[in-house]
Amino acid sequence: MTASTHGQPVSERLSSLWERPRVIDHIFATVDHKRLGVRYMVTAFVFFLVGGTLAGMMRTQLAVPENQFLGPESYNRIFTMHGTTMIFYFATPMLTGIATYILPLMLGTRDLAFPRLNAFAYWVFLFSGLFIYTSFLVDEVPDGGWFAYVPLTGPNYSQGLGMDFWTLAILFLGISTTAAAINFVVTILRMRAPGMAVQRMPLFLWGVLDMAFTILIALPSLTLATLLLALDRTFGTHFYDPAGGGNPLLWQHLFWIWGHPEVYILLLPSLGIISTVVTAHARREVVMYPLVAVASVAIGILAFGLWVHHMFSTGLDLLPISFFSAASFTIAIPSGISIFAWVTTIYGGRVRFSPAFMFALGFIVTFVIGGVSGVMVAMVPFDWQVHDSYFVVAHFHYVLVGGVVFPVFAGLYHWFPKITGRMTVPTLGHGAFWLIFLGFNITFFPQHILGLLGMPRRVYTYAEGLGWDTYNAISTAGYVVLGLGIIVMVFDFLWSMQRGEEAGDDPWEADSLEWATPSPPEPYNFAHLPIVHSRTPMWLDRTPERGGQLDRIEDPMDDGREVVTTSVLDAAPDAVLRVPEPSYVPLFAALALTVAVVAMLVEVYPVSVAGIVGLGALLAVWLWRSPAPAPERVNQIRDRVHLPDVRIAGPHSLGRWGMIFFIVTEAVLFGSLISSYFLVRGSADEWPLGGIAEPELILPAILTALIVLSSASMFWAQRQVEGSADRNPPLGMLRLALVVSLALGIAFLSLQAYEFHRSEFGPSTNAYGSLFFMITGTHAAHMGVGVLLIGWTLLRTWFVSHEPGQRSDVPNVALYWHFVGVVWLVILSVVYLGVRGL
Amino acid sequence: MSQARNPYEIHDYPSRRPTGVGPWTLAFALFGGTIAWTVHLIAGYSVANYMCGDAVAVWILHGLTVVALTVVALAFLTALRVVRHATRLPKGERTPEEDRDQFLASGGLLLAGLGFMAITFGEVAVVVAGCTP
Ligand code: HEM
Ligand SMILES: [Cu+2]
């Protein structure tokens, strides 16, 4: 392990590669997943404290009847910001942060697949949070509730900037969440330690993988919903406006297609944390591993079947709803399986009652209560009774606090020694747990009763003598206890960070690879990357034959920031790649985006455009130099590490995988858009609305021809790169193919612009016009991005030299271009041809 | 500098013998039940929402259920076969690929079971609530 290469001890050599000496670089340019993970966690925790303070203001107001502490307007603002903060700025980013920190360590690798993207995602999250909170400074706070139902949030009812802050912040944050999800999926699928086949993946990794997939499929609906709302509010479109032929139900559909899975998006990694903590602290592998792993997959899938169950009271018919109730009942089964598995594991284990374990127990208890009340809420007639009452408030806090906050705290206590190198103080931890657990139940249990007694949610006060006073007072008292618990916990963390006992590498004698590193880990995580032979490598792999050590790749892989990539199912090693260096570009890109968003809020569109252009330019710089090793180096690696095949382009490249999942989420976006079209059309008496003529077909026919030809020439370009692994790069042909594609793309855009220009209706004419321009316009915007990408690849053929087999930009851009072409064919059949059939 | 060992020697993959289960079989064993349920949900919801009132609607719904349940059953049987095949040897003699097949196919059993339940619940609703306008 102390072998030296390059005339230096390995650890020194690796440190110099993986860490920059200058402090300013650490702060603004770092791409280290550990630093970014900690930042995520700390930022999210601050948002938790802020959201908790807002909750305290509401509980103060509700403590006694007819209280005058908050008026109705402030109350609306505060519950909106509380819900929004807790869901968007605490829960999701906190879990993202834990995953960002833990994932590469648990996988036995050195960073996430896309480190700079990770930095970008963090900055965007931070700026989005600061952005939405500036609404307090200018006294234009969002007040439409965290699910922002239209028409109340539409242009007619909600004046002022409040809801504009909300829509823009959510759109902005969505970029960060999507980026993180793509990063997690590719990292888990492609960067596991050699040997960590699917049947050996720790359950936490399953949880994060399922979470990330669910995000990629669910989030586009929210993005679309808020985008359409922003357009309705600012540009007078009519997506949700019944007077213009739009449909307010569209909001609810789009919102809940995301909103319900969101609860599970939060739950899935939380279940993973519980499995981790139970394994480590019951000192025994979770029983029925395959079922628990697949249960989490099943929960992710079934979650999509639940979306209309939040719309029980909106007058949908009984039968269509029943299809979704079926999913609500079914989802109880995988949840039940997991609970059963944990309880059995604990029962047969040698339990260490650490604070982390206590929080896990607290979770299990609370989750059962939340599950029972959830099944009650899922029963259609019962739902009609309690809808919009405090029963629902109690239910979702049991699910969210029990299901997310407790696991998060369990995880923080569990990994604290790894992150800081020191142990927390057990007495303080137990004190915090009991205060939080009891305080939580005192706060929220009485709210079930309040709901049954008829107290509606979202009321800022209530009259005396309805029998609600005592329960409300108890609930507020519970908040105080809970708050004390949080204070104790924070104190424990701050104190232990400096004074806690030294933790050593593996204080819990846990099973997974993060405990094979020093605490805190070195910047490069592992000097010699581990190889895995079982599900619990720290327990089973360190056999006497291996000298009591993990199996490791002997080569330190220190000719750059090198990592091994592995195959998806079996985690057989298939390539050595380099991950990028620290960079300021992610920060600047996030700043450019912030400028664009702020300018949109105040409607100074030229500045917005400038921000977007700046962002584009920075991305071009960002992607300009791929960190691919030089050709000699590829051969050297091949000889030294004996990998079967070391290739940077093609199916092995991480960029290709990132592109595939980006396209997945984009496809869902277009799918939601097309479904919205059908929903609005289904509720219209005529189509096109308002006597607009059906679209002509000559122009679309030409457009289609252009797009098909351009796809063909991109395919040709791709062939030049991929089919020539050992030849000299036929750069001339490649350039020609790219130029042809570029010209066809530009021709398409010009013709489409001409079509828009001579159209006799506009996006604000009526809902038909809004949808027509939204669909074709979104597609055109994608074409525009594609054209820029092709131009960028073309430029790179002159300035960036590559071996032919390594040029991964061309196939990636081609993939994107083909996708945009396919989308056009769908649009053609729905928006142009489909109208005729009616 | 020491010559690194070949990761394929120190690593378990690929192993001595092929598993004899193709990727498509495995995919169907794992996800067949889920896909059947998804289609049943979306198609059933659309028919119930837009077509009830037509006399045939209820029969379309029953038909959907029959088709979906058949697919679920096939997925279940496929998964069962894969598990049997992967576990034909005692534990110590199985290859990692066989472990993998067993893992994925047991997952398929669970998913098919859940698909069965969700589809059946939906069908019960059709029978109880009917499909009249
Ligand atoms: C720290 C303890 C907490 C307390 C005392 C608390 C209290 C409250 C109160 C009083 C309301 C308003 C109910 C109403 O008037 O309808 C509320 C709403 C809400 N809370 Fe909490 N909460 C807490 C933690 C959380 C957490 C951790 C989350 C999410 C992870 C959360 C998510 C929400 C949501 C989504 C709403 C609905 C907001 C809306 O109606 O738009 N809360 N909470
Ligand atoms: Cu729900």
Side-chain angles (χ1 to χ4, degrees), chain A residues 202-389:
Chain A
L203 289 166
F204 179 64
L205 298 181
W206 279 105
V208 176
L209 184 64
D210 299 336
M211 161 180 92
F213 263 116
T214 315
I215 287 177
L216 292 183
I217 294 177
L219 194 61
S221 308
L222 177 70
T223 306
L224 182 63
T226 38
L227 187 61
L228 300 185
L229 180 57
L231 293 173
D232 268 12
R233 290 181 56 86
T234 329
F235 294 106
T237 52
H238 303 279
F239 299 105
Y240 303 124
D241 167 27
N247 189 343
L249 259 188
L250 176 60
W251 171 268
Q252 299 201 26
H253 276 292
L254 287 176
F255 186 86
W256 286 116
I257 288 178
W258 165 81
H260 208 286
E262 168 67 7
V263 175
Y264 292 90
I265 286 172
L266 302 175
L267 204 57
L268 289 167
S270 305
L271 302 182
I273 295 177
I274 297 301
S275 294
T276 309
V277 170
V278 165
T279 311
H281 297 264
R283 290 177 260 204
R284 180 181 174 209
E285 197 193 325
V286 171
V287 300
M288 308 195 301
Y289 166 90
L291 289 187
V292 179
V294 177
S296 110
V297 177
I299 290 173
I301 295 170
L302 283 164
F304 287 97
L306 302 184
W307 92 81
V308 284
H309 95 201
H310 285 272
M311 309 191 333
F312 283 172
S313 311
T314 55
L316 291 176
D317 293 331
L318 192 60
L319 183 60
I321 287 179
S322 306
F323 279 97
F324 293 91
S325 275
S328 317
F329 290 122
T330 313
I331 208 166
I333 297 169
S335 317
I337 291 178
S338 311
I339 302 231
F340 178 79
W342 293 318
V343 171
T344 317
T345 311
I346 294 169
Y347 191 73
R350 289 181 298 123
V351 176
R352 181 197 302 117
F353 286 92
S354 60
F357 185 79
M358 294 310 291
F359 275 107
L361 270 190
F363 158 84
I364 294 174
V365 172
T366 316
F367 193 60
V368 171
I369 301 179
V372 170
S373 64
V375 170
M376 288 162 77
V377 178
M379 286 189 272
V380 177
F382 185 81
D383 192 66
W384 280 325
Q385 306 256 302
V386 299
H387 193 87
D388 279 343
S389 82

Side-chain angles (χ1 to χ4, degrees), chain A residues 49-84:
Chain A
L49 296 180
V50 173
T53 310
L54 295 175
M57 293 167 76
M58 290 190 285
R59 279 318 324 163
T60 311
Q61 164 66 20
L62 294 171
V64 293
E66 279 152 42
N67 198 353
Q68 295 303 320
F69 173 61
L70 299 174
E73 278 118 51
S74 337
Y75 191 86
N76 285 354
R77 291 171 162 200
I78 288 180
F79 76 64
T80 302
M81 284 303 284
H82 163 74
T84 305

Side-chain angles (χ1 to χ4, degrees), chain A residues 389-391 394 444-455 467-468 471 474:
Chain A
S389 82
Y390 258 82
F391 193 92
F444 291 106
F445 195 80
Q447 295 185 1
H448 289 111
I449 305 170
L450 279 172
L452 296 175
L453 292 175
M455 178 163 168
W468 301 346
Y471 296 111
I474 297 178

